[in-house]
Amino acid sequence: MSEEVVGSKGIIKRDELVRILGEALYSLGYKRTGDCLEAESGIQSHSRVVKLFIQKIIEGKWDESLASLHGISIAYANISALPFLLILEQKFFRLLEEGNFREALKTLRDDITPRCHTDEDRIRELSVLLLRQSSVHQSRLKSGEDLLEELQNVIPPVVMLRKSGLVHLVEQVLLLQRDSCRFHNSTNLSLFTDHHCGKEQIPSESIQVDDFGLVSMKHQLSGHAKPVSCISWSPNDDQLLTCGEEERIRRWDIATGECLQIIAKPNLKIVSCAWGPDGNSIFFGVRYGNVGRMYMWDLQGNDLKCWKTPRNEELGITDKELITILKNSQIIFVKLDSNSLRFRVINENQPIVSFALSEDSKFLLVSLSNQEIHLWNIDGPTNAVLATYRGHKRSRFVVRSCFGGLGQAFIASGSEDSQVYIWHRDSGELILKLGGHSGVVNCVSWNPVNPHMLASGSDDRTIRIWGLLNQ
């Protein structure tokens, strides 16, 4: 029976598996159940001599444990000198504490020195303790349980199983399973600031997120003089557009954190921005008193097209249409090949705060004043709400949301409590909150190419780029 294997891979021996299960039962305190497993299987977690050795170590009976270890070394030829030495050191320390210096000298001379004759530093250190007849620091004296755990790491598993080995394996499996559908650990990579405007660097920080591990900031881009209200990734994901409320647009290099360009024109109060689908044009909304306009520029700042619109705080760009808010509860779709407002409309029953377009242009996220986010299907002959997301905070300010993650399986949103909220798109479950900003998080934007990267902009005048590693 002992040579039988279990599992489809043929690599787990039955007796090894039973021994691991038995050790786990004993370590959890289920002695009778462990005894029943050994009796029924005929397989012992540990041999009789190993069990005796474990018992004597726990009891702190060093001479008897050394005798048991000697018996084990006869049965197994792969026991090194280190386990003997660890036990002998504890015996030596105990004798010093008891003031039995004669026996301590005998142990050092007759037992320890022959086993570590090549480790002169260790022998010298023990000799000094003996000559000074000094007390041993409490950290050097170990309990039987602590010494046993140390011994389990140096005695081969074929002889003595490591304590709670199965528990450790189960922990690793559960971590892998959890992380495969949630977010994985990442490292705090770097911090950048905008040198064009002379802002000081702000220290980066690792953010502890519920039970999902560390989600850390990758870059921090500073430079806006007013709260950041809009973020847009370039189609090839190597650049970022940001703008503040009635402020300039800044174009950033993601690899270096450098501000590549500041886009502005006299008397233009820019309130929103977005990349064109080709990556070579920029769309932005401006205010002229109570009148709004949408502009299309090339990267050199040349006007390509202009539309008049009642509102322009929000922009969505497809390869055929420009999307913006028409009235408080209406969204319009304007044809890009026309200078007139030829459009179709969807209607909400609450004032619209913001919206975001999916990568395939088939779905629209609409954030409402009642702290709900609606997922609209805008691809069919009739538009319909598919899901609703709740939990974030919004009472006074414009707060934006976005699609993201692998297959755009997640929904993210800013919030007035200075956090970023993330939901599962299909289930609507709130799964994550990212803390770290010191002001309202106005906008979020998920990298269109790298599903592991999310940007957030805040009233604290910084943009944080989060490294979310999704397996």
Side-chain angles (χ1 to χ4, degrees):
M1 174 182 291
S2 62
E3 294 301 319
E4 292 183 17
V5 296
V6 295
S8 60
K9 305 299 183 182
I11 60 175
I12 304 175
K13 292 182 179 180
R14 181 185 296 272
D15 61 342
E16 291 178 349
L17 180 59
V18 172
R19 289 180 65 218
I20 293 172
L21 291 172
E23 187 280 330
L25 290 170
Y26 287 124
S27 69
L28 293 171
Y30 301 130
K31 184 179 184 303
R32 285 186 298 175
T33 306
D35 291 343
C36 288
L37 175 64
E38 290 186 354
E40 184 174 351
S41 66
I43 300 171
Q44 301 293 310
S45 299
H46 291 113
S47 66
R48 184 183 62 81
V49 66
V50 173
K51 285 183 177 180
L52 179 62
F53 170 69
I54 293 173
Q55 177 185 340
K56 297 305 178 184
I57 288 293
I58 292 175
E59 294 173 354
K61 297 180 177 178
W62 307 132
D63 287 333
E64 295 177 33
S65 63
L66 286 166
S68 298
L69 184 58
H70 182 67
I72 293 172
S73 66
I74 294 174
Y76 301 92
N78 52 354
I79 302 296
S80 68
L82 183 56
F84 288 95
L85 184 58
L86 293 174
I87 298 171
L88 286 167
E89 279 189 335
Q90 290 303 307
K91 177 183 177 181
F92 176 79
F93 294 149
R94 181 70 58 80
L95 290 170
L96 286 183
E97 284 297 295
E98 294 172 352
N100 193 343
F101 303 113
R102 184 182 297 275
E103 284 298 315
L105 173 61
K106 184 176 183 298
T107 299
L108 176 60
R109 181 188 60 207
D110 298 342
D111 299 321
I112 295 178
T113 300
R115 294 183 184 277
C116 65
H117 60 277
T118 58
D119 191 348
E120 296 181 358
D121 291 338
R122 185 189 293 247
I123 297 174
R124 186 181 302 109
E125 178 187 2
L126 298 179
S127 300
V128 169
L129 288 174
L130 182 61
L131 289 172
R132 292 178 178 174
Q133 297 185 1
S134 57
S135 297
V136 180
H137 192 277
Q138 202 63 32
S139 63
R140 304 292 295 272
L141 289 169
K142 299 181 185 297
S143 67
E145 288 82 1
D146 289 340
L147 180 59
L148 178 62
E149 187 171 346
E150 187 174 359
L151 290 168
Q152 286 171 324
N153 291 324
V154 297
I155 294 177
V158 68
V159 178
M160 185 169 64
L161 294 172
R162 285 166 172 76
K163 185 178 181 181
S164 302
L166 180 60
V167 173
H168 176 72
L169 290 173
V170 172
E171 284 178 339
Q172 298 305 307
V173 171
L174 291 176
L175 286 171
L176 287 172
Q177 288 179 340
R178 185 191 70 187
D179 293 342
S180 67
C181 62
R182 297 291 178 96
F183 297 101
H184 218 326
N185 288 348
S186 69
T187 55
N188 195 350
L189 298 178
S190 55
L191 170 71
F192 293 91
T193 186
D194 177 24
H195 298 290
H196 293 283
C197 47
K199 295 291 182 181
E200 294 182 354
Q201 289 192 351
I202 301 174
S204 59
E205 52 189 323
S206 294
I207 309 301
Q208 183 71 36
V209 183
D210 300 332
D211 62 346
F212 295 99
L214 292 177
V215 181
S216 300
M217 184 172 58
K218 181 175 181 179
H219 296 328
Q220 181 167 295
L221 313 175
S222 301
H224 282 288
K226 295 183 179 180
V228 177
S229 60
C230 194
I231 297 175
S232 178
W233 289 92
S234 63
N236 62 0
D237 95 320
D238 63 353
Q239 295 183 30
L240 198 68
L241 285 182
T242 62
C243 69
E245 184 68 16
E246 298 187 354
E247 205 196 12
R248 301 170 176 180
I249 296 174
R250 292 175 181 267
R251 183 159 61 94
W252 307 87
D253 183 282
I254 292 305
T256 65
E258 178 187 0
C259 183
L260 300 175
Q261 184 181 16
I262 298 176
I263 303 170
K265 265 194 171 183
N267 303 320
L268 290 187
K269 296 181 178 180
I270 300 172
V271 295
S272 58
C273 61
W275 283 94
D278 58 0
N280 295 316
S281 57
I282 295 172
F283 291 78
F284 60 93
V286 302
R287 287 193 186 129
Y288 285 101
N290 295 325
V291 179
R293 283 190 175 88
M294 293 290 182
Y295 283 90
M296 178 181 178
W297 282 2
D298 61 22
L299 296 184
Q300 289 70 47
N302 300 312
D303 291 340
L304 301 179
K305 195 168 290 191
C306 177
W307 300 265
K308 291 182 180 180
T309 59
R311 288 185 59 181
N312 48 27
E313 293 89 350
E314 299 300 308
L315 280 176
I317 310 295
T318 72
D319 57 349
K320 296 180 180 179
E321 292 177 309
L322 181 150
I323 306 171
T324 188
I325 298 173
L326 177 61
K327 297 180 181 178
N328 278 351
S329 58
Q330 287 186 326
I331 293 176
I332 63 169
F333 299 74
V334 182
K335 293 289 186 181
L336 286 178
D337 59 4
S338 172
N339 289 322
S340 63
L341 284 180
R342 297 169 52 197
F343 57 81
R344 57 192 177 104
V345 177
I346 63 172
N347 296 285
E348 279 281 7
N349 57 9
Q350 292 285 331
I352 296 169
V353 175
S354 64
F355 67 81
L357 186 66
S358 67
E359 187 178 41
D360 58 10
S361 301
K362 295 181 179 180
F363 303 94
L364 198 68
L365 278 180
V366 181
S367 298
L368 302 174
S369 61
N370 64 350
Q371 300 186 110
E372 291 184 352
I373 301 173
H374 289 176
L375 174 64
W376 282 81
N377 179 359
I378 59 173
D379 188 48
T382 58
N383 304 313
V385 175
L386 303 179
T388 300
Y389 311 97
R390 302 180 179 92
H392 68 298
K393 306 297 184 289
R394 197 223 73 87
S395 60
R396 300 172 54 200
F397 304 107
V398 173
V399 172
R400 294 180 170 88
S401 57
C402 70
F403 296 86
L406 191 63
Q408 295 210 313
F410 300 97
I411 302 297
S413 175
S415 178
E416 290 184 8
D417 61 1
S418 304
Q419 299 187 90
V420 176
Y421 284 68
I422 298 178
W423 297 266
H424 270 299
R425 175 174 169 175
D426 292 338
S427 70
E429 177 193 2
L430 177 63
I431 61 168
L432 199 58
K433 291 189 285 186
L434 305 180
H437 280 293
S438 60
V440 175
V441 179
N442 303 301
C443 50
V444 289
S445 183
W446 220 300
N447 189 306
V449 175
N450 182 352
H452 313 145
M453 191 177 291
L454 173 72
S456 58
S458 168
D459 275 4
D460 63 14
R461 297 180 292 175
T462 67
I463 301 98
R464 293 180 178 238
I465 301 180
W466 306 87
L468 306 177
L469 302 185
N470 194 331
Q471 294 290 320

